[in-house]
Amino acid sequence: MVVDERGQMNERPIEKVETRRFHVDIIERDARDEPRLRLLGNEEGQVRVEMAVPSADMLAVRKELFDRGYRGGYACDCARGRPGTWRSYLNELEMIHIIVEMLGWELSDAEAGVVKAVDDYGRTAPRGMSSPRLR
């Protein structure tokens, strides 16, 4: 893993997803001047979406994901699989949509671009592995 001088993973903003080595990080952040959704990639080919959820909504988001079978950022079915599978990718894609809809976010062009990039790659999944959200 490549890290910067602060010990953080060396990531940069990217515009499209080209790998199933993907996950969503839900972080608690109240700053309104920073993007709520960011698509980040590193030199090892890993991609993640960082979702910044306001503190006031974090408990409700976690409860909703738990009630739907998601644990710690990964869906139950995904947790039994291995990262990098279509199942894990599509579960993470679903989680993004659940949170955006639940919080009623009206996405900026940049935020909508993040969701579109994730959805576009999800549409390349083999037949029988697609998400209903992508139809």
Side-chain angles (χ1 to χ4, degrees):
M1 178 183 335
V2 180
V3 295
D4 66 15
E5 63 279 353
R6 295 172 297 161
Q8 301 294 315
M9 203 148 95
N10 188 10
E11 295 178 313
R12 65 189 178 346
I14 59 174
E15 294 183 7
K16 68 184 204 174
V17 180
E18 298 175 311
T19 181
R20 293 182 311 262
R21 296 178 64 198
F22 170 83
H23 71 279
V24 176
D25 283 331
I26 303 168
I27 63 168
E28 192 171 324
R29 183 171 61 216
D30 290 317
R32 298 205 184 274
D33 57 339
E34 296 184 43
R36 296 174 293 189
L37 293 168
R38 295 188 324 150
L39 183 61
L40 303 167
N42 66 24
E43 293 172 3
E44 293 180 352
Q46 299 166 330
V47 175
R48 73 182 179 100
V49 168
E50 181 182 88
M51 295 190 79
V53 173
S55 301
D57 297 321
M58 186 59 92
L59 184 59
V61 165
R62 290 192 186 277
K63 182 181 182 329
E64 181 68 19
L65 293 175
F66 180 83
D67 289 348
R68 290 182 183 227
Y70 290 82
R71 309 287 188 276
Y74 288 99
C76 294
D77 292 336
C78 172
R80 281 180 271 171
R82 56 187 168 78
T85 64
W86 276 113
R87 173 175 269 184
S88 68
Y89 186 90
L90 295 172
N91 278 323
E92 297 290 292
L93 175 151
E94 181 71 16
M95 194 164 52
I96 293 169
H97 285 276
I98 289 168
I99 294 169
V100 168
E101 290 171 7
M102 179 187 169
L103 297 179
W105 285 353
E106 290 185 26
L107 301 178
S108 68
D109 290 344
E111 292 168 339
V114 168
V115 174
K116 182 181 182 316
V118 173
D119 288 353
D120 285 349
Y121 188 72
R123 286 186 180 92
T124 68
R127 187 179 182 130
M129 289 295 293
S130 68
S131 166
R133 299 223 184 237
L134 303 178
R135 293 185 186 140

